[in-house]
Amino acid sequence: MEKIDNPLVSVGILTYNSSQTVLETLDSAYHQTYKNVELIISDDGSKDDTVAICQQWLASHSDRFVRCEILTVEKNTGISANCNRLVSASKGVYVKYLAGDDIFMPTCVEDNVANVGDADMLISGLVRFRGKQILQWGNPINFKKFCTLSSKQRVHYYARTCFFCNVPTLFFRRNIYDKVGMYDENEPMLEDVPFLLKLFASDAKVAYFPKVTIKYRDGGISNSNTTRFYRILIHAFWNYRIHYLDKSSFLDRMLVCERSLFERLIGNKDKVQGVLKFYLSRYNLFCKILNSLLFWECRIKKIG
């Protein structure tokens, strides 16, 4: 793959009712050390003054970017559709998007461009934060080893464990969307799982470098433990992940049983606040044991 000097990078900011945090995100994009950047803000029908704040900020900061664009819709459509609008509007060789409550490290884009090589997707390090407090973050797998797996191995690993993959750090070659398709709008609140399953199952090249490039705000939906989010995860399992599991694997069959049990536990709305909590305290032990076995098997095979 021919190396392009000083490639244009599309930096995207995904917003929805982000008025309390978006200025910090925008400022972190403004202070990037890499200069050949276009900025695209894609708002998903915010009910607060997010769009007005972004417009006002651009009025005094747009000269720093090659071009700027704000995309808006009247009605909220979900994260996946918002990502699709942003990617469709991008003109860069690479796309780096971020939620309007997270923060780019100053050299984020520069580091990604310098380390992406011939990869279609680059994973890097992140830290979680809450206010001014930096929270500890532990990766469940060795990303460097994961990136050396065959497409069959990596999609199976991701389908059975669905590890976080440092999603806010992902840096994409723009044409990967032409190869594997866009985000599935049938899963409006969980854009990463269906898309990454497609990408990992393809011949796309994935790479990793360990430097922290993103500060990830603690408390968003992607690190939520609400009943609503549990139901979203269950839906994604039955509609996407299960198709990549191995029917001959005892642990994969156990995973299907575990997801069935979990779906049954969260299915009764009357028990969510009461009896469900009692059951979950016992169920979680089973879940932790199963996850440990899944990761242990992968480590034995030198995957994790």
Side-chain angles (χ1 to χ4, degrees):
M1 186 176 296
E2 184 179 356
K3 179 178 173 57
I4 301 174
D5 293 329
N6 194 38
L8 177 65
V9 177
S10 299
V11 168
I13 310 296
L14 298 165
T15 61
Y16 177 65
N17 293 343
S18 308
S19 61
Q20 299 299 311
T21 58
V22 70
L23 284 179
E24 197 171 4
T25 305
L26 290 170
D27 286 342
S28 70
Y30 180 86
H31 291 293
Q32 288 300 294
T33 55
Y34 189 84
K35 298 305 179 184
N36 195 17
V37 171
E38 65 170 6
L39 180 68
I40 303 170
I41 302 167
S42 187
D43 184 77
D44 197 19
S46 289
K47 304 302 182 185
D48 63 6
D49 55 351
T50 296
V51 174
I53 289 172
C54 292
Q55 290 172 334
Q56 185 177 9
W57 185 89
L58 283 178
S60 57
H61 293 80
S62 60
D63 289 348
R64 180 260 180 266
F65 302 99
V66 173
R67 78 178 187 98
C68 299
E69 184 174 2
I70 298 181
L71 309 173
T72 61
V73 291
E74 293 184 1
K75 184 179 179 180
N76 180 260
T77 58
I79 301 171
S80 297
N82 203 19
C83 285
N84 285 339
R85 289 191 293 271
L86 191 154
V87 171
S88 295
S90 65
K91 302 181 184 300
V93 176
Y94 301 103
V95 176
K96 174 75 204 101
Y97 63 80
L98 196 64
D101 59 355
D102 297 330
I103 299 172
F104 297 98
M105 300 299 283
T107 60
C108 173
V109 176
E110 180 180 0
D111 288 334
N112 275 283
V113 171
N115 288 277
V116 66
D118 61 351
D120 297 294
M121 184 184 89
L122 186 62
I123 308 168
S124 55
L126 63 76
V127 292
R128 292 168 60 225
F129 74 100
R130 184 187 300 128
K132 295 183 178 180
Q133 179 185 10
I134 299 297
L135 308 175
Q136 289 187 339
W137 181 268
N139 292 321
I141 70 162
N142 185 318
F143 283 125
K144 187 175 181 179
K145 288 184 179 179
F146 175 81
C147 293
T148 66
L149 300 178
S150 68
S151 59
K152 184 177 180 179
Q153 289 174 315
R154 69 190 182 191
V155 75
H156 179 224
Y157 185 95
Y158 183 71
R160 64 176 356 195
T161 59
C162 207
F163 64 95
F164 182 53
C165 199
N166 285 9
V167 171
T169 74
L170 300 182
F171 185 80
F172 297 102
R173 193 175 296 275
R174 174 61 180 82
N175 64 11
I176 193 60
Y177 295 100
D178 300 324
K179 296 179 182 179
V180 303
M182 303 288 274
Y183 296 94
D184 191 341
E185 297 183 19
N186 292 316
E187 197 66 52
M189 299 306 295
L190 197 70
E191 84 292 349
D192 55 315
V193 174
F195 180 76
L196 288 177
L197 284 167
K198 291 191 301 182
L199 189 147
F200 291 146
S202 74
D203 62 357
K205 184 171 181 180
V206 180
Y208 170 70
F209 80 108
K211 185 175 178 178
V212 171
T213 63
I214 295 295
K215 290 175 66 177
Y216 175 51
R217 191 180 300 271
D218 188 60
I221 190 172
S222 58
N223 53 83
S224 173
N225 61 356
T226 63
T227 302
R228 178 193 178 204
F229 190 62
Y230 285 148
R231 292 193 175 111
I232 291 172
L233 293 177
I234 287 292
H235 183 266
F237 179 83
W238 296 120
N239 284 276
Y240 303 98
R241 291 171 57 196
I242 193 171
H243 303 300
Y244 296 97
L245 299 182
D246 183 356
K247 295 180 180 179
S248 66
S249 167
F250 172 75
L251 288 180
D252 282 11
R253 294 199 304 270
M254 286 293 293
L255 178 59
V256 173
C257 291
E258 178 269 323
R259 293 286 85 183
S260 298
L261 174 59
F262 191 63
E263 182 177 35
R264 186 178 296 271
L265 287 174
I266 67 172
N268 191 329
K269 294 182 180 179
D270 296 332
K271 294 183 178 180
V272 167
Q273 300 300 325
V275 179
L276 176 60
K277 185 176 181 180
F278 173 82
Y279 279 117
L280 284 180
S281 65
R282 278 109 184 115
Y283 159 79
N284 280 338
L285 177 60
F286 166 66
C287 182
K288 289 178 181 178
I289 292 173
L290 177 60
N291 283 337
S292 295
L293 290 172
L294 290 169
F295 283 116
W296 175 79
E297 183 181 82
C298 290
R299 288 190 178 98
I300 292 296
K301 293 180 179 180
K302 297 183 179 179
I303 292 176

